[in-house]
Amino acid sequence: MISLGINYGSHESSVAIVKEGKLVFAAAEERYTRIKQDSAFPVNAIKAAFMELDIDAQEVDVVSLSWPLKGDALLHDAKLFVTGGFGRTRSRAKKLAAQLLSSLNAQKKFQNLYRSFFPPPQNGFVFADHHAAHALSTFCLAEQEASVCVVFDGRGTTEATTIWKFENGHPRKLFERSFPDSIGVLYANATRLLGFRPLSDEWKVMGLAAYGRPNVDLDEFVLKRGWETTFAGRHFLPANDNEPSGFERRFAEYGRKGDGEIAQPHMDFAASVQRVCEEAMISYVAHSVALAGTADVCLAGGVALNCKANGEILRLPFVKSLVVQPAAGDDGTAIGAAFAGSIKFGVPFRRDPSFTPYLGTSYGDDEIESVLKRAKVRYERPENFVEDVATCLAADRLVGWFQGRMEFGPRALGHRSILASPIKVENRDRVNEAVKFREIWRPFAPAVMHEHGARYFQDYRMSPYMILSFWASEHARLVVPAVVHADGSCRVQSVTADNNPLFHSLLDSFSKRTGVHVLMNTSFNLKGEPIVESPLDALRTFYSSGLDVLAIGPFVVRK
Ligand SMILES: [Fe+2]
């Protein structure tokens, strides 16, 4: 049974394949089209999946979209319109009517679109519940079978935040808080107000928050309902598109144009938004633990990319384990959709202890070498490849690292990474100058040998996906200052000989030269571009940036 899951129709289109109940491929369309967060139909990612897995399009049994019928969402919007949740303007009414009309045959349109590229799937199409797809995407890597999952989204169909338990082969919804009372919508409003792109640049607000004090009072927008802390959504929806919301009007003094200077009040505002976001997330996690009777928690949904908040949740005394899907945003729903399709046709869903985020395309040594030859690049194939690269890193060279199957999700996890020594704080500025062009909100993350994690990070636990933050230990502040963020937090990737053998041996080799078991790991891309996918992307980025060394497959290219 081959089940193809697709996220299409919102942003960051993506694809996943579940074969005989096992997740075997996942990738986002942006990596192939080189358009960041590409929302086009993911035809290139589907073709790449078939090629990687050596599958013929005819063999696909079911195609599953991670969005259900649009009717429910539009009825919900109509209700909001009538009850004053949305501003009752003529243009809003027109837009709703147009959306309603176009939604009538949306599923048919999707099926036709798929058929225009590929033969129809043998068992047909499934339209999965969006939040259930988020939940399935993280249940598949849960530590315990009986985990509870909280999905924090801007909005799914009608829902903003949901709580799930996996029972009798299906995810069961235990709680729903509907849009627009949504943590994601609050964060998107703050992102836009601070001059960034909403539904894309929320991580910049989180990064800026580390430089600020949470001294802006947001209480008038916080809703407390018993155990629940959430946000009064009607203040976040503008009467018309492209107008400021009530929230944005109220805090206009913190507004900033895209290229405007970032001053202390902007950072303080970001810190205040981050704090209320954490309070709200913690209220839902506490409730989910009580509701499901388990202390093993999973998170998904775009808001769960907030690694600072995730770190706070990890340290709650009533949380035993915390697992966050590394592709927590809508891209990850392709995984859940693929599982939903396979469950529907009788393949039981199983948690997969061997889950890996390295689910994308890969290139053989011959393919890589032919790209290097074609480009007439001088390269070597060192006998002691790992030692050679570790020596470069120990000498403060900036290394582009391209190995194996591409990671799924927004973080580079040591397969498409830029690596540098974390020992000198100037190395952070050097990476910024070389590729990221001085983005002060960008914290550079540490990849650490798991067996040495506790020396560098307080309350350290296994964190393989760089989606949990820890406080740096005194030792880390002294020894690896380049990967400690302004507030002392670190977004950690734990590397083991099992989860990433080559990267682990590189860390080991680096530690033998320097006594330090940590490398700085950031994504292999130029500012504003998607992470590199192919050897050619890697070569282009290498020669367009200030990187010193490219370690690609078994080959090394030096400038
Ligand atoms: Fe979502």
Side-chain angles (χ1 to χ4, degrees), residues 445-449 466 492-495 503 507 517-521:
V448 64
M449 291 173 81
M466 217 186 263
V492 175
Q493 179 193 2
S494 310
V495 183
F503 196 23
L507 280 156
H517 309 89
V518 175
L519 280 169
M520 189 199 296
N521 177 10

Side-chain angles (χ1 to χ4, degrees), residues 121-323:
Q122 300 187 18
N123 293 344
F125 292 86
V126 166
F127 295 87
D129 181 276
H130 184 71
H131 270 215
H134 272 303
L136 279 167
S137 78
T138 187
F139 274 133
C140 77
L141 57 143
E143 280 198 13
Q144 301 296 330
E145 208 75 52
S147 296
V148 67
C149 174
V150 191
V151 179
F152 295 113
D153 217 341
R155 140 169 230 182
T157 311
T158 61
E159 66 278 38
T161 303
T162 50
I163 298 174
W164 301 79
K165 202 166 179 191
F166 199 79
E167 275 176 3
N168 304 323
H170 295 274
R172 184 167 75 85
K173 199 192 295 180
L174 305 178
F175 171 86
E176 171 176 335
R177 171 59 57 217
S178 300
F179 171 83
D181 295 353
S182 158
I183 304 171
V185 172
L186 160 90
Y187 223 97
N189 262 235
T191 302
R192 183 166 48 224
L193 187 64
L194 286 170
F196 304 120
R197 234 177 88 202
L199 305 179
S200 165
D201 292 346
E202 276 71 5
W203 63 276
K204 295 180 181 175
V205 178
M206 182 183 72
L208 270 189
Y211 296 88
R213 293 173 301 268
N215 55 12
V216 182
D217 187 352
L218 303 173
D219 276 0
E220 65 192 277
F221 296 92
V222 174
L223 262 186
K224 300 236 186 215
R225 295 188 185 105
W227 59 265
E228 183 184 12
T229 299
T230 185
F231 302 102
R234 60 201 165 83
H235 298 300
F236 301 106
L237 304 177
N240 292 302
D241 293 345
N242 303 321
E243 282 181 15
S245 65
F247 175 82
E248 287 167 90
R249 278 201 301 273
R250 167 70 179 78
F251 293 110
E253 64 193 284
Y254 299 101
R256 175 186 156 266
K257 290 262 186 296
D259 52 359
E261 192 198 332
I262 293 171
Q264 192 59 45
H266 300 120
M267 301 175 189
D268 292 343
F269 185 71
S272 308
V273 169
Q274 176 66 23
R275 192 180 66 176
V276 293
C277 170
E278 287 172 16
E279 282 171 13
M281 288 174 80
I282 287 171
S283 80
Y284 287 109
V285 169
H287 188 61
S288 73
V289 166
L291 206 57
T294 171
D296 295 300
V297 178
C298 301
L299 303 181
V303 179
L305 289 170
N306 193 313
C307 54
K308 169 71 174 42
N310 296 344
E312 299 300 329
I313 291 168
L314 179 72
R315 289 183 283 276
L316 292 171
F318 51 84
V319 171
K320 195 169 110 209
S321 73
L322 178 69
V323 168

